[in-house]
Amino acid sequence: MQRNTRPWIRLFIILLLLIISAGIFNVPSQWRATKRINSLNEAINANKPADIYPYLIPELREMLTKEEFVQNFAEERSYPYLSPLYVYLDEVKLAADRRSGEAISTVAARLPGQKMKVKLIYIRGKYYVEAFRDIADKSYLLKFQNIKK
């Protein structure tokens, strides 16, 4: 009778270990936040707005489609006075529960010391950023109105 129960015990232990490991690997952490922001910064530096879009918080993604974001991003970045956007991560600051925080990156621009700060929010196993709201809601057009006159 013992032999018949052993496969079930082994299966139960393996299942339990899989459940535990899934929980362990799907927790908010400094490492996960840093990795996610570095990936976002790579997409920004490569000037690939389609790759930036999935990092945006759901609220921003609900405002427009990926194609619309790409179009708005290209339009905003095409203005002659804007230099290419390159960012380099300085630090990630997380709240005590690691479910929110802020990422601070240096912007490689003509003005030294320029920083880009984005809010981080942990949702369903990933960090998302509240960034590029002006591109999502098209308020970037307002900064061009005063210059064009």
Side-chain angles (χ1 to χ4, degrees), residues 44-143:
I44 292 169
N45 294 344
N47 195 32
K48 294 184 175 179
D51 293 347
I52 295 168
Y53 183 82
Y55 291 92
L56 302 178
I57 59 173
E59 175 191 339
L60 294 177
R61 285 182 281 131
E62 289 168 5
M63 294 172 71
L64 73 172
T65 66
K66 182 191 284 190
E67 291 74 24
E68 291 168 328
F69 180 80
V70 168
Q71 182 180 348
N72 292 357
F73 191 93
E75 184 179 14
E76 191 265 353
R77 296 310 308 164
S78 69
Y79 200 79
Y81 292 109
L82 294 178
S83 59
L85 182 59
Y86 294 103
V87 292
Y88 304 95
L89 182 62
D90 291 329
E91 65 180 315
V92 174
K93 299 177 185 178
L94 294 178
D97 67 357
R98 298 184 304 243
R99 295 197 168 274
S100 64
E102 180 180 60
I104 303 167
S105 297
T106 295
V107 178
R110 294 179 186 161
L111 302 173
Q114 199 173 2
K115 300 290 182 183
M116 180 174 143
K117 295 179 181 182
V118 297
K119 290 182 185 176
L120 294 168
I121 301 170
Y122 189 80
I123 304 170
R124 286 179 253 116
K126 292 183 180 179
Y127 284 96
Y128 294 90
V129 297
E130 184 172 347
F132 301 108
R133 182 174 290 276
D134 60 334
I135 292 174
D137 67 12
K138 291 189 103 171
S139 63
Y140 67 90
L141 294 172
L142 297 175
K143 67 182 166 186

